[in-house]
Amino acid sequence: MQPITNHLPTAELQALDAAHHIHPFTTQSELAGKGARVITGARGVMLRDSEGQEILDAMAGLWCVNIGYGRDELAEAAARQMRELPYYNTFFQTTHVPAIALSAKLAELAPGNLNHVFYAGSGSEANDTNLRMVRTYWAERGKPEKQVVISRWNAYHGSSVGSGSLGGMKGMHAQGGLPIPGIEHVDQPNWWAEGGDMSPEEFGLERARQLEAKIDEIGEDRVAAFIAEPVQGAGGVIVAPDSYWPEVMRICRERDILFIADEVICGFGRTGEWFGSQTLDLTPDIMTIAKGLSSGYQPIGASIVSDAVAEVIGNCEFNHGYTYSGHPVACAVALENLRILEEEKIVDRVREDTGPYLRQKFEALTDHPMVGEAKIVGMMGSLALTPDKSARAPFAADAGTVGFMTRERCFANNLIMRHVGDRMIISPPLVISKTEIDTLIDRAWRSLDEGMAAVKEAGLWQAG
Ligand SMILES: *Cc1c(COP(=O)(O)O)cnc(C)c1O
């Protein structure tokens, strides 16, 4: 990759960044002190920073660069579309070729009767759409009191007022008056942290049945929908016990509520099928998509909606839409991304070849003294850090202290791995090769070693 050499020196870039750029989910004053890492280019699974370092991106940006960085075909698709029709909207009975083609393609890829697409600019916007859509659906069906949406604690559904309320991140709810009314939460199926003495299977059933109890408490005639990620991503790659999802599906069907699968991370091959709902045998009425839809090359999200829901919504004027709903450049780039995923059989490779290889190597990280469990589905995985594996004990320090220390070691070893509390997570580009997987695992092991040494030195190697 050609390094960009004509930029300002790193220290000057960092000073300008600190002076004028407010970062998401960041304590700005702390970052200003140390300076942000400046990323200048990328190819495949590797990033390059302003100091010329090559960094293995085991998070695919924010879980989104499924086909890897640097694919010229997407740049060409964007340039072609910008020359032909850079923008037009899809309001007021108009449409354009990229939105038509992408909708037809998504209907073909999506399972079951999910055949209709409503576009947004992001996953957050798409979940805002879903909130209004399910409420409108029940109102149009003569049940306007069915308005409550049930979600899960520690879920992530976006950062807007609506989607942040749907999510179950307490730190987000603490700022800006969230959640808005009409949203309720049940506990997550995180056996490692919350399973106590129950077996994973018993615990999975207990957590699923919380949904049933919550519906009873609110009243079935007041509940519109349940929303969940097939595998919780930003919550720490939490994989539910096998008993969980069949029970949740039973409850949604028996109780006549809609099920929204938030596939923003799980979609487009991440779990080894096109959608997480296929891997986990879920039958959603609506799927939220974004991220891997364009591999992050353009901002675009959408709701893929069932025939039944689309028919009801289609009979009213749904007073909702975004200026960039179905943006032609974003749609053209997404289509090209889907073509590459399909023609290069990237999803099949994750399912049959590189995914199983990564699983084997990743699960072997439980041999490390600080790793209690490794969970992985396709190419999203997490490690639980613990000072006492058999007790599944947390550290005596505040949650996230050890995770952060370990992440800092990853950064120093040119590996982007994230921490959520004291879970370390990966979600690499789906095109990662076996050699690159070996590099990822080597760097992860070294970072765990160095992290553990730092934890011991700080006197934090104790169960809390
Ligand atoms: C990232 C994410 C979102 C929000 O998408 P944005 O494009 O950041 O608005 C929603 N749901 C899930 C599961 C996500 O991971």
Side-chain angles (χ1 to χ4, degrees), residues 231-299:
V231 177
Q232 282 162 263
V237 186
I238 310 299
V239 184
D242 289 343
S243 57
Y244 180 79
W245 280 113
E247 189 70 355
V248 168
M249 284 295 99
R250 174 189 71 75
I251 294 163
C252 288
R253 291 304 153 232
E254 285 181 14
R255 299 315 187 89
D256 200 23
I257 66 172
L258 297 171
F259 173 52
I260 306 165
D262 186 336
E263 295 266 4
V264 170
I265 289 175
C266 293
F268 306 101
R270 178 60 55 200
T271 68
E273 300 284 348
W274 278 91
F275 297 97
S277 291
Q278 294 163 318
T279 301
L280 295 168
D281 203 16
L282 315 180
T283 48
D285 300 288
I286 299 176
M287 294 197 309
T288 321
I289 57 171
K291 294 190 173 127
L293 168 59
S294 66
S295 281
Y297 282 59
Q298 283 284 292

Side-chain angles (χ1 to χ4, degrees), residues 49-65:
D49 73 9
S50 55
E51 297 293 281
Q53 296 286 328
E54 299 266 344
I55 306 149
L56 197 159
D57 184 9
M59 284 306 300
L62 285 177
W63 326 74
C64 56
V65 188

Side-chain angles (χ1 to χ4, degrees), residues 149 233 348 437:
V149 178
D348 300 338
I437 288 172

Side-chain angles (χ1 to χ4, degrees), residues 82 88 125 146 186 388:
M82 280 196 194
Y88 201 70
E125 287 180 7
K146 267 174 99 68
V186 293
D388 182 348

Side-chain angles (χ1 to χ4, degrees), residues 63 122-125 127 156-159 229 234 262 264-265 290-291:
W63 326 74
S122 67
S124 301
E125 287 180 7
N127 277 327
Y156 189 78
H157 296 301
S159 189
E229 302 150 84
D262 186 336
V264 170
I265 289 175
K291 294 190 173 127

